[in-house]
């Protein structure tokens, strides 16, 4: 018979494995704009990230 500790240990292991499973993660992030609070004299940036699928 399983105890609550066995159940929690299994859930922790499942959570850890899914955290590092890259197939569950998105290939691209949503682009975000840094607009310097609307100041046109300062630089504006677009931030995004992507995964290099060739290195997997």
């Amino acid at each position: 018979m399983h105890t609550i500790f066995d159940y929690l240990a299994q859930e922790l292991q499942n959570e850890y494995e899914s955290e590092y499973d890259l197939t569950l993660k998105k290939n691209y992030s949503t682009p975000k704009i840094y607009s310097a609070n609307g100041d046109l004299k300062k630089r504006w940036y677009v931030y995004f990230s992507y995964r290099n699928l060739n290195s997997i």
Side-chain angles (χ1 to χ4, degrees):
M1 184 166 145
H2 294 290
T3 65
I4 187 71
F5 297 110
D6 295 333
Y7 174 75
L8 292 175
Q10 183 62 39
E11 285 300 311
L12 179 64
Q13 182 66 26
N14 290 344
E15 183 68 25
Y16 178 80
E17 289 172 356
S18 66
E19 183 68 26
Y20 295 101
D21 185 5
L22 295 179
T23 60
L24 299 176
K25 298 201 180 280
K26 295 190 291 185
N27 293 332
Y28 301 93
S29 69
T30 303
K32 297 179 182 155
I33 299 175
Y34 170 72
S35 63
N37 294 324
D39 188 352
L40 295 176
K41 294 181 181 180
K42 293 185 179 180
R43 291 180 183 240
W44 289 33
Y45 298 95
V46 176
Y47 292 96
F48 66 96
S49 64
Y50 66 94
R51 277 196 305 147
N52 183 356
L53 298 176
N54 294 329
S55 65
I56 296 177

